[in-house]
Amino acid sequence: MANTAQAENFVWASEYRTITQFYPDTDLQFYLSGDTIDNNSSCHNRFVIRHTDPNYKVKVATLLTAWENDRAVKVKFDDADTSCGTDVQMFKAQ
């Protein structure tokens, strides 16, 4: 069986969005408000920060702080990802 690799295509979302919910699991998954951001994803506005990310703890702490302070975030995500949780490379908090 041959291994297949999916090319990553990281792009910035067009606008800042509010975080509507967190889904802590092995990875941190979260949802953003509004219209669909990643049209290739099988789940509407569900994003993920993988626990294997070298900056996982910093990203999660920053995201939780943004949520707690009602700050909107803008994500840089993998537009080639078709799974239910779109990988987030980085984000900005407003």
Side-chain angles (χ1 to χ4, degrees), residues 68-79:
E68 181 179 348
N69 291 294
D70 295 320
R71 303 286 186 190
V73 297
K74 185 176 191 176
V75 293
K76 186 173 185 181
F77 64 95
D78 184 0
D79 193 41

Side-chain angles (χ1 to χ4, degrees), residues 27-47:
D27 304 314
L28 179 72
Q29 300 183 49
F30 60 98
Y31 291 83
L32 296 177
S33 64
D35 296 333
T36 300
I37 296 170
D38 180 7
N39 291 317
N40 294 320
S41 176
S42 59
C43 291
H44 178 75
N45 288 350
R46 183 176 178 176
F47 296 91

